Amino acid sequence: MSAEPAEGVRIALGHSTAPLNGPWRFHVGDGPRWSSPDFDDSAWETVDLTPAPGAHDDDVGLPGYVSGWSRRGHAGYTGFAWYRIKVAVDSDEGIPLALAGPTLVDSAYQLYVDGKLLGGSGGFTGTVPTVYGVRPSVFPLSSAPSAGTSTYVIAFRVWMDPMYAGADSGGIHVAPTLGHADGIALLHQAQWLKTFTGYVADAVEPFAFVVLALMVVALMACRTGDAYRWLAAALIILALLRVKQALFFWTDWLSLGWVAAIVIVLTPLSLAAWTLAWRDWFRLDRPAWLGRAVGVLAVVYVVFVCVRQPWFMAGAPHGLKAVAHGVTASVRLAYAALYLWIIGRGLRRSPKPSTCLAALAAVLVGIGLFATEVSALGIPGIWFPYGVGVARGQYAYAAFIAVLFVLILQRSIGYARRG
């Protein structure tokens, strides 16, 4: 059935911008004609994207945040959904208009204006879309041919990946904005600044980890043996784990699938490497069972994390997924117990100031490594100084970088003095 779209909104523009909070027409599912300006969406449900005053997301502090469709009657739904709105724009003749795309969407989208695909975020060439980080985007619109009113039918085709499923997830979280092209360009710059500052620590800290790893390699040259190989490996692995965030949200270099693979493989390797790194730093003995235990835990972790993923045995009983979740949680607790045991042994073996400083470094990096377990203690996971989200782990890693730098210098000086 084809008819005029439901009554939309009317905005007047000079050189201003206006967020398209709605009301939007919304429908889960997918249809080949839902982008058409003539499609009748009057039977669809209505969605308002107006944010509460001061609302922002709980990651980097993106302003204008609203809850997703999981809190709007579609809990547990993943897949395609559409948003449509008819906008009448009062503007002067020849004013160039543009649309700033939504800065936070679960998980990818395509934008249609008057039935024409203008672009979006993610790859939609396959049966299942490829998800990349949603970044600020600008889509030029046709200018008004004469003074008066221009009407646009704007439609977003949204895909939510099962890996994004959560209590507050689903669809558009920050409304798009329509306005004069110059105003939209300024808004776009502000949006990119927020996106950049939100993830800059995830780029700077990995760089510092690599520098520290190079210093450790130089330290190895001062001392025969392999006492620092695990520390160098742990720093490189942690750098790779951390930099993925910046690469995912700043570029199209990593898709969501690659991010998931990096986390699945490198997280247990990181826990194993740091456990052995501190064993060697504290110059403890090397019981054979410790290396085997760390290796077995890493394998078990990878296997059961895979079982937990929505793409693994999609039709598996819920109980199996719950068991996998319990096993991975237990493995992490086992790693934490080994980690603390090694720190305690190190302090007992040599309770010197340098050992206490090393224990502090181990605790600081452990706050990031065992973020889930630390959060379970009720410690806040993120703060928003100056409106930018900074995670607890980022603070801990920054302090750790400074402490480990001092520790490496101390050992380097000690080796140099002994000649």
Side-chain angles (χ1 to χ4, degrees):
M1 179 173 63
S2 175
E4 285 294 317
E7 183 178 355
V9 297
R10 189 183 193 94
I11 57 177
L13 292 175
H15 294 271
S16 61
T17 63
L20 298 180
N21 294 325
W24 291 79
R25 294 295 187 176
F26 174 80
H27 200 281
V28 297
D30 198 22
R33 298 192 61 253
W34 293 0
S35 64
S36 170
D38 298 324
F39 177 76
D40 180 11
D41 57 18
S42 59
W44 288 15
E45 62 187 277
T46 300
V47 170
D48 186 1
L49 299 180
T50 303
H56 59 76
D57 78 300
D58 60 1
D59 185 14
V60 300
L62 294 174
Y65 180 87
V66 298
S67 298
W69 68 52
S70 292
R71 293 194 186 276
R72 300 171 183 261
H74 300 282
Y77 176 76
T78 61
F80 285 105
W82 283 73
Y83 296 77
R84 288 170 51 93
I85 192 171
K86 182 179 180 180
V87 183
V89 182
D90 296 332
S91 61
D92 296 332
E93 179 179 356
I95 287 183
L97 303 179
L99 183 74
T103 52
L104 184 56
V105 178
D106 297 329
S107 313
Y109 71 87
Q110 291 178 302
L111 168 65
Y112 294 85
V113 177
D114 294 334
K116 180 181 178 181
L117 176 63
L118 295 190
S121 172
F124 286 80
T125 56
T127 305
V128 176
T130 302
V131 176
Y132 297 96
V134 176
R135 299 187 298 279
S137 300
V138 173
F139 305 95
L141 303 179
S142 58
S143 303
S146 60
T149 302
S150 299
T151 301
Y152 302 93
V153 177
I154 299 171
F156 283 91
R157 182 190 186 212
V158 175
W159 162 262
M160 177 174 162
D161 194 276
M163 284 191 283
Y164 270 78
D168 197 42
S169 58
I172 298 174
H173 289 283
V174 177
T177 300
L178 189 149
H180 188 277
D182 290 343
I184 292 296
L186 292 175
L187 175 63
H188 182 248
Q189 293 176 11
Q191 290 175 337
W192 255 116
L193 179 61
K194 176 68 74 171
T195 301
F196 175 78
T197 55
Y199 297 102
V200 67
D202 293 311
V204 172
E205 289 180 344
F207 176 77
F209 293 147
V210 172
V211 172
L212 289 173
L214 294 175
M215 293 178 65
V216 171
V217 171
L219 195 62
M220 292 169 62
C222 300
R223 179 185 174 90
T224 59
D226 56 5
Y228 300 108
R229 63 173 182 173
W230 283 113
L231 180 57
L235 286 164
I236 294 298
I237 294 170
L238 187 56
L240 294 174
L241 268 174
R242 297 302 302 168
V243 79
K244 75 181 189 312
Q245 289 290 100
L247 293 178
F248 180 69
F249 287 102
W250 289 353
T251 75
D252 280 344
W253 294 357
L254 291 179
S255 67
L256 180 63
W258 277 107
V259 169
I262 289 170
V263 172
I264 289 171
V265 174
L266 293 189
T267 297
L269 290 181
S270 180
L271 295 175
W274 279 109
T275 301
L276 299 176
W278 292 119
R279 176 204 64 183
D280 292 345
W281 182 273
F282 290 120
R283 295 168 178 166
L284 303 176
D285 56 2
R286 298 186 177 189
W289 66 266
L290 180 59
R292 288 195 294 267
V294 166
V296 169
L297 287 174
V299 172
V300 172
Y301 193 108
V302 170
V303 170
F304 282 92
V305 166
C306 287
V307 174
R308 285 175 51 185
Q309 302 306 308
W311 44 261
F312 185 90
M313 296 177 62
H318 177 73
L320 178 61
K321 300 288 185 178
V323 168
H325 179 82
V327 171
T328 53
S330 299
V331 168
R332 290 184 61 86
L333 289 175
Y335 268 125
L338 284 174
Y339 195 86
L340 293 173
W341 176 71
I342 286 172
I343 295 174
R345 285 191 66 202
L347 288 172
R348 288 195 303 270
R349 179 184 176 276
S350 178
K352 297 184 300 185
S354 60
T355 306
C356 293
L357 192 61
L360 174 61
V363 169
L364 288 171
V365 75
I367 290 173
L369 297 174
F370 298 101
T372 302
E373 292 70 27
V374 174
S375 294
L377 299 176
I379 300 175
I382 191 167
W383 292 268
F384 293 89
Y386 305 104
V388 178
V390 182
R392 176 187 59 223
Q394 291 173 331
Y395 287 109
Y397 286 139
F400 161 75
I401 288 167
V403 174
L404 185 60
F405 179 79
V406 172
L407 287 169
I408 294 173
L409 281 183
Q410 285 182 342
R411 289 227 169 156
S412 299
I413 293 171
Y415 290 152
R417 286 175 176 175
R418 290 195 293 269

